[in-house]
Amino acid sequence: MTTNRVRAVALKVMVGLGASGMLTCLPACARGHGKTEAEPAEDAAAPGDDAEVHFPVPDSGPEELPDSGALVSDAAATGACATGADLIYVASEERNLYSFDPTKVVFSLLGTIDCAQGIYVNSMAIDRNATAWINFGDGSLWKADTQNPACTATGFLPNQQGVGLFGMGFAAKTAGSSEDLLFIDDLSGGGLGFIDQTTMTLERLGPFTGALANQDCELTGTSNASLFGFFAGGPLSGDAGAASVVALDPSSESALSQWPLAGVETGSDWAFAAWGGDFYLFTADKYDMTDPYTTVTRFRPSDGSLTVLAQNIGFRVVGAASSTCAPVTITQ
């Protein structure tokens, strides 16, 4: 990626805490990991006839993490947001689309997104129109309105620039802008890029540098033009058993800040999203016969706490996302 291309992206990446002390607007995306070819959906337990699945929040204390620096920028996005664009959405291994209410820990089934005819969901992002952008295991990219999850072809051709599967997330082009850029991470270790939504062409920015070199991640973008990655194996901490959330600088493909997530195992399927200043981590290991389903964990950067919100939910989340219209802080 040339310097001119990096400048053309016009993304101002700033990380920090607003005056409230909460992490400001962290919309996100995610994917199922560890899959290299099309796999049929497994017969996992379904959430039942009730379209809403409720889970009690356990009474567990926060787990303290090392101080890894502050985040910056608290500008809110301008421009209209579609109905539902302020929610978190998840895609399951069974190719179902759900909304997720983090305040009640409730999943609501919206419909089926079997766009690629039986191919697994790899990653998902949500735009300001509350439209889901879904990357499938064959490299295809589809769209689905979250209010009516019917599949629409995007015209994107797989394997552009040698990129097969990718994590992805929308971020504002500049802080407070209503114009977003769809960032991608090449899951073959090729680093960052973006998709031009007008031409449906993929452009590379470059490989990750420093301690992130050759690492893969899922991406979260914000209305503050900030970009974050959810890395397996703690690429900066040196702890192969720990995951990390990393603030990324797209102009240099390097880390601005990082938070090791002690005790979080990404397993075979992992995703993240954010809402109200917190990251919501969705992790599962389908090879663990005692609990093969997704665990939902809240990471709160303002105090470094990790709280398990739900376990054994009856399905595996393989994609998660919220748009740059997601709320910045929770009203107390």
Side-chain angles (χ1 to χ4, degrees):
M1 190 61 200
T2 66
T3 301
N4 288 338
R5 172 65 67 182
V6 172
R7 289 175 178 172
V9 174
L11 180 76
K12 182 181 180 183
V13 178
M14 301 177 65
V15 283
L17 287 174
S20 66
M22 297 292 289
L23 183 63
T24 58
C25 195
L26 297 172
C29 73
R31 69 172 175 108
H33 294 257
K35 300 168 182 167
T36 56
E37 59 183 355
E39 298 178 358
E42 298 179 13
D43 294 329
D49 294 333
D50 187 357
E52 291 192 348
V53 185
H54 301 251
F55 302 94
V57 178
D59 184 15
S60 60
E63 179 175 353
E64 293 299 326
L65 298 181
D67 183 9
S68 54
L71 297 176
V72 186
S73 181
D74 58 1
T78 58
C81 294
T83 300
D86 57 344
L87 299 176
I88 292 175
Y89 293 90
V90 303
S92 75
E93 188 172 42
E94 297 75 30
R95 296 175 296 281
N96 289 325
L97 181 66
Y98 299 80
S99 64
F100 174 70
D101 183 344
T103 66
K104 299 178 181 178
V105 195
V106 174
F107 293 90
S108 297
L109 180 61
L110 302 175
T112 301
I113 47 172
D114 190 13
C115 306
Q117 300 182 342
I119 304 299
Y120 64 87
V121 173
N122 176 68
S123 185
M124 184 172 70
I126 299 289
D127 66 21
R128 294 170 64 85
N129 294 316
T131 298
W133 293 65
I134 310 161
N135 175 231
F136 286 84
D138 60 357
S140 62
L141 181 64
W142 296 77
K143 294 196 297 184
D145 185 340
T146 55
Q147 306 302 306
N148 179 26
C151 299
T152 302
T154 63
F156 177 84
L157 296 177
N159 301 311
Q160 294 183 46
Q161 301 277 2
V163 178
L165 301 182
F166 47 85
M168 57 182 176
F170 284 96
K173 289 185 177 180
T174 57
S177 172
S178 60
E179 295 186 8
D180 292 342
L181 195 65
L182 180 55
F183 281 93
I184 66 97
D185 166 51
D186 178 4
L187 296 177
S188 296
L192 290 174
F194 66 93
I195 294 174
D196 185 322
Q197 298 168 68
T198 301
T199 62
M200 284 296 120
T201 55
L202 186 150
E203 300 287 347
R204 284 189 179 273
L205 288 170
F208 291 121
T209 59
L212 300 180
N214 302 315
Q215 300 291 332
D216 298 331
C217 71
E218 272 299 346
L219 297 174
T220 286
T222 78
S223 62
N224 305 312
S226 298
L227 189 66
F228 297 85
F230 182 20
F231 286 81
L236 299 183
S237 66
D239 180 2
S244 292
V245 170
V246 180
L248 296 169
D249 179 0
S251 66
S252 64
E253 293 77 48
S254 61
L256 296 171
S257 188
Q258 64 95 15
W259 295 266
L261 305 174
V264 174
E265 297 294 335
T266 50
S268 62
D269 301 281
W270 45 283
F272 80 147
W275 189 92
D278 299 328
F279 289 98
Y280 288 83
L281 313 174
F282 303 88
T283 57
D285 184 357
K286 67 181 180 181
Y287 304 108
D288 181 356
M289 294 300 99
T290 61
D291 182 8
Y293 303 120
T294 289
T295 294
V296 183
T297 304
R298 184 187 66 210
F299 170 49
R300 178 160 288 170
S302 61
D303 62 10
S305 63
L306 282 164
T307 303
V308 174
L309 301 180
Q311 293 177 289
N312 262 317
I313 66 172
F315 58 93
R316 281 188 290 276
V317 172
V318 294
S322 55
S323 80
T324 56
C325 293
V328 174
T329 58
I330 300 173
T331 303
Q332 300 297 329

